[in-house]
Amino acid sequence: MAACPSCDCQSELGFDIKMAFQPIVNVHSKNVFAFEALVRGSNGEGAGEVLSRVNDSNKYTFDQTCR
C-alpha cells in the first residue's frame, strides 16, 4: 500500500493558530467532565476565519497542526 504523498510533506501552514479549550460541565453535578478543543487565529479570530484559510494544499498540515 502506498503512503499518502502529503504524509511526507513538511510544508508550512501559512498562518498561525491557537487552540482554546472550553470546559464541558455537567450542570447537575457542576463537575467538568471534558474539554472541547476550539481552533482560533493567533489574534483571537474565530473558527470561521481560520477555516476559510484551509484549502486542498494545506489541509493535511492544518490537521496535523491541530493535533
Side-chain angles (χ1 to χ4, degrees), residues 15-18 37-42 44-55 62:
F15 55 93
D16 293 327
I17 62 170
K18 298 188 300 186
L38 307 169
V39 67
R40 296 287 181 253
S42 60
E45 300 90 350
E49 174 74 23
V50 173
L51 294 174
S52 72
R53 298 178 185 173
V54 178
N55 56 48
F62 176 75

Side-chain angles (χ1 to χ4, degrees), residues 19-26 30-39:
M19 300 303 285
F21 295 92
Q22 176 73 35
I24 300 174
V25 178
N26 179 321
K30 298 183 175 133
N31 291 323
V32 174
F33 66 91
F35 289 89
E36 176 182 27
L38 307 169
V39 67

Side-chain angles (χ1 to χ4, degrees), residues 2-22:
C4 168
S6 298
C7 296
D8 295 329
C9 179
Q10 296 296 319
S11 65
E12 293 290 322
L13 183 56
F15 55 93
D16 293 327
I17 62 170
K18 298 188 300 186
M19 300 303 285
F21 295 92
Q22 176 73 35

